[in-house]
Amino acid sequence: MSEEISDNPSKVIKKRSVLLVDDDTVTLRTMSNWLKNYFDVAVAKSGAACISYLAKNKPDLILLDYEMPVCDGVQTLEMIRSEEQYADIPVFFLTAVTNTEKVMSALKHKPQGYILKNTSIADFLTKIGHFFDVKLE
């Protein structure tokens, strides 16, 4: 049975927390706006900022950009998985890459899934909703 979460605060069961990690401020702002009515959203602009955030917080889900400068999504995921206290946090890769080889390479790192950045708001929320087993309206 799915929980329903909506804009009506009386219908909200519990807001889960999502950490959105991306070096692109437009992506951070857009996806934060999509998520903020349903989840407690935190943002990090780099892999290093993500790890710093995790030192003090444990989100229910991390949405992690696959391609970032300095420390990319794969390196960040490896750091997350190497630390016992946050190794079990689910991670979805966010990517603009549609190349099948690169997508398959990303999946080798065993994220819970991946989401294309050019996806529609409805598809984006559906994918996140399915993960949490909730219906986002």
Side-chain angles (χ1 to χ4, degrees):
M1 182 180 282
S2 294
E3 300 171 3
E4 287 199 17
I5 298 177
S6 73
D7 289 332
N8 181 346
S10 66
K11 290 176 90 178
V12 173
I13 307 294
K14 174 191 171 221
K15 274 195 173 184
R16 292 181 174 96
S17 60
V18 174
L19 174 60
L20 182 58
V21 184
D22 201 302
D23 60 310
D24 181 72
T25 54
V26 173
T27 299
L28 287 175
R29 184 173 46 248
T30 300
M31 291 186 175
S32 291
N33 284 333
W34 291 356
L35 294 166
K36 70 181 181 184
N37 290 327
Y38 309 104
F39 304 101
D40 289 325
V41 181
V43 297
K45 291 185 73 175
S46 67
C50 171
I51 300 304
S52 293
Y53 178 86
L54 294 177
K56 298 176 185 165
N57 306 279
K58 188 170 182 182
D60 295 308
L61 176 65
I62 298 172
L63 300 176
L64 178 61
D65 186 10
Y66 184 72
E67 294 185 323
M68 293 184 289
V70 184
C71 182
D72 67 20
V74 171
Q75 293 167 316
T76 304
L77 181 58
E78 288 171 350
M79 287 188 283
I80 291 167
R81 295 294 184 246
S82 72
E83 295 294 330
E84 186 178 321
Q85 67 266 32
Y86 33 84
D88 63 338
I89 299 172
V91 175
F92 272 65
F93 275 128
L94 294 173
T95 183
V97 175
T98 56
N99 174 299
T100 305
E101 278 184 38
K102 285 193 176 187
V103 170
M104 294 310 289
S105 176
L107 294 177
K108 286 180 187 174
H109 298 282
K110 302 201 186 314
Q112 277 58 44
Y114 75 95
I115 299 173
L116 294 175
K117 287 184 179 183
N118 64 354
T119 192
S120 70
I121 184 173
D123 289 343
F124 178 79
L125 292 175
T126 296
K127 196 159 210 169
I128 302 300
H130 278 122
F131 173 77
F132 283 121
D133 195 27
V134 295
K135 183 177 181 186
L136 305 177
E137 299 175 337

